[in-house]
Amino acid sequence: MIAVWRCLHADGYKMKRTPFVWMHVGLPLIWTVVYLLYIQGRPYALVNVYTGYMEALGAMMPLLSGIICGMVAAQEAQAGHFQNVLTRTRTKETGYVSKLLLVWGCGSLAIILSVLLLGIGITLVLPVEHVPYGAFLLGAVYLLLSSVILYVIQLWVSFTFGIGASILLGGSGTLIAAIMITGLGDHIWHYIPWAWGVRMTDSIALLHMGTLTGTVQSYLEQDMAMGWLWVITASLITLLGSLLWFRHWEGSRAYE
């Protein structure tokens, strides 16, 4: 853990002079301001405001993770064809875990920041007396946990095939997530990682802010339980597989 922390600190320092930090702070701020201006003066219920915001945020996660992971991989390629991440630590996995924690951790902080800004902004533009910050933050936690597998996949694609392939896959994932919000995803979203974030945050909103009958609530709880089973199982398998891959990886020719 100490080695990972040192490596993570070094990776963070290298990113200070890049757009990396500003993207994770500026984009949540810009998106929240635009969204609040859009809903201002409109008679939206709180649950609809929240689901609309989180659906858009969850749908954009694949594309944003593709861009971020591509930037990190491109920087490593330019700094020495991945030799820093491959050779600077005693075990190769340490450097890989550091990169993964960097991109996922910053993405998670951006998600939490976005939801907090939304909660604060709602009190300014909507006539609500109480904002359920607990439910808001729970949705953010669900979104960031369901995004682990996205960063693992995107980092592998970025390291292996380059930033172009990573952005292309991220854009495709965003399109899939948008489709899965509709009724087409009702019975298959559990098996599609790009759909996890948008579907689970929708369910959280309905369970904590909606008015549901007992039958609908029971269905949503069972649907969420099945979703969590796939999230945890697939994320762990994918993470272990990526560690095994990186142990034997010697660098990519995509950047040469």
Side-chain angles (χ1 to χ4, degrees):
M1 287 299 296
I2 295 177
V4 172
W5 174 252
R6 290 175 178 172
C7 197
L8 183 60
H9 183 268
D11 286 336
Y13 183 80
K14 287 193 297 184
M15 289 295 173
K16 287 178 64 176
R17 301 181 183 277
T18 70
F20 187 86
V21 175
W22 293 109
M23 287 182 66
H24 286 88
V25 176
L27 289 179
L29 180 60
I30 294 171
W31 163 232
T32 306
V33 170
V34 170
Y35 188 77
L36 291 173
L37 289 174
Y38 173 76
I39 66 171
Q40 187 175 16
R42 299 172 185 264
Y44 288 128
L46 180 60
V47 63
N48 294 329
V49 170
Y50 177 75
T51 54
Y53 184 89
M54 294 301 285
E55 283 176 355
L57 188 61
M60 289 303 298
M61 281 298 297
L63 177 58
L64 293 176
S65 64
I67 295 172
I68 295 300
C69 290
M71 288 172 55
V72 170
Q75 185 186 55
E76 285 298 325
Q78 294 168 4
H81 295 286
F82 298 100
Q83 292 309 302
N84 287 333
V85 71
L86 289 171
T87 61
R88 68 175 174 175
T89 56
R90 181 174 300 179
T91 61
K92 292 167 64 175
E93 293 88 343
T94 300
Y96 173 75
V97 171
S98 171
K99 294 294 184 187
L100 182 58
L101 286 176
L102 176 69
V103 294
W104 177 75
C106 288
S108 299
L109 290 176
I111 291 171
I112 295 173
L113 175 62
S114 298
V115 174
L116 289 175
L117 289 173
L118 175 66
I120 295 170
I122 282 176
T123 62
L124 302 176
V125 301
L126 292 179
V128 295
E129 297 180 358
H130 172 68
V131 176
Y133 283 103
F136 277 36
L137 289 175
L138 185 60
V141 170
Y142 276 40
L143 186 57
L144 65 90
L145 290 178
S146 65
S147 70
V148 172
I149 194 171
L150 300 183
Y151 284 100
V152 173
I153 293 172
Q154 293 291 169
L155 205 57
W156 170 72
V157 172
S158 298
F159 276 25
T160 306
F161 303 107
I163 186 172
S166 180
I167 295 175
L168 180 62
L169 176 62
S172 301
T174 288
L175 179 60
I176 292 171
I179 294 173
M180 290 296 103
I181 297 173
T182 68
L184 294 174
D186 287 349
H187 302 292
I188 61 174
W189 73 267
H190 314 88
Y191 320 114
I192 302 175
W194 296 276
W196 292 344
V198 293
R199 297 294 303 210
M200 297 186 83
T201 52
D202 272 2
S203 296
I204 283 292
L206 292 173
L207 288 170
H208 290 267
M209 289 178 276
T211 303
L212 306 176
T213 63
T215 303
V216 174
Q217 181 168 341
S218 177
Y219 170 79
L220 281 178
E221 290 173 348
Q222 293 177 9
D223 197 45
M224 287 281 286
M226 185 176 180
W228 269 118
L229 176 63
W230 279 93
V231 169
I232 295 171
T233 303
S235 296
L236 287 176
I237 291 174
T238 306
L239 179 58
L240 291 174
S242 69
L243 289 172
L244 291 174
W245 157 75
F246 197 78
R247 177 180 296 177
H248 302 284
W249 188 62
E250 298 298 334
S252 174
R253 296 183 179 275
Y255 294 86
E256 295 180 1

